[in-house]
Amino acid sequence: MTESKPLVLVVMGSDSDWPAMKETVAILRKLRIPCEARVVSAHRTPRAAHELAAGARDAGVRCIIAAAGGAAHLAGVVASYTTLPVIGVPMVGWALDGLDALLSTVQMPAGIPVATVAIGKAGARNAAILAAQMLALNDSELAKRIEGMRDSACKAVEEKDTTVLDESRRIPE
Ligand code: RP5
């Protein structure tokens, strides 16, 4: 299968972020958005992070998703090297269990924004959906696929509702 040029670039500071960030890639693939996932670190491989971010627009990328944990400066550093929209995903872990990464990612000083989503897997999923919604601004077919995904989520909740309602009625007095 020939891979199309990635429209969304997913970067993470370590392969320890990959179990969460797989969720991002899975949703992008489901929505048929060409994407690529890379490990680059703002502090361990700063040159690679710079080159990837600075070259992304010319490579055809339209949105970057950046995940990191701890003193999570990757999203901010990436954002400083590109005018593409950057979505930051704070990773769980470390002494503060993701709160450190949340604040490091979201609290960007004025001028270089990072659109920050929730900590961990929920954020990883939402980052993909937010990137898709950005791309859907001028892609009505993609907008329909996003709606389809919401419909499936709605049906899943309705099924859960039926199950819980049934079980609640069967619990003896
Ligand atoms: C950050 O440090 C990475 O994004 C990761 O979340 C965290 C820990 O990295 P490892 O020590 O697991 O490689 O740079």
Side-chain angles (χ1 to χ4, degrees), residues 13-14 16-17 43-44 67-69 91 94:
S14 169
S16 62
D17 303 323
H43 49 277
R44 291 170 177 155
M91 293 285 93
W94 296 70

Side-chain angles (χ1 to χ4, degrees), residues 6 15 21 23-24 44 83 88 90 107 123 134 145 163:
D15 63 346
M21 295 314 291
E23 307 261 343
T24 304
R44 291 170 177 155
T83 52
Q107 286 290 57
M134 287 174 185
R145 295 201 290 279
T163 309

Side-chain angles (χ1 to χ4, degrees), residues 4 16 20 35 38 48 67 74 99 110 114 140 147-148 155 166 170:
S4 322
S16 62
C35 64
R38 304 283 302 272
L74 181 61
L99 186 57
V114 170
S140 56
E147 272 167 29
K155 280 189 194 101
D166 285 353
R170 272 188 271 116

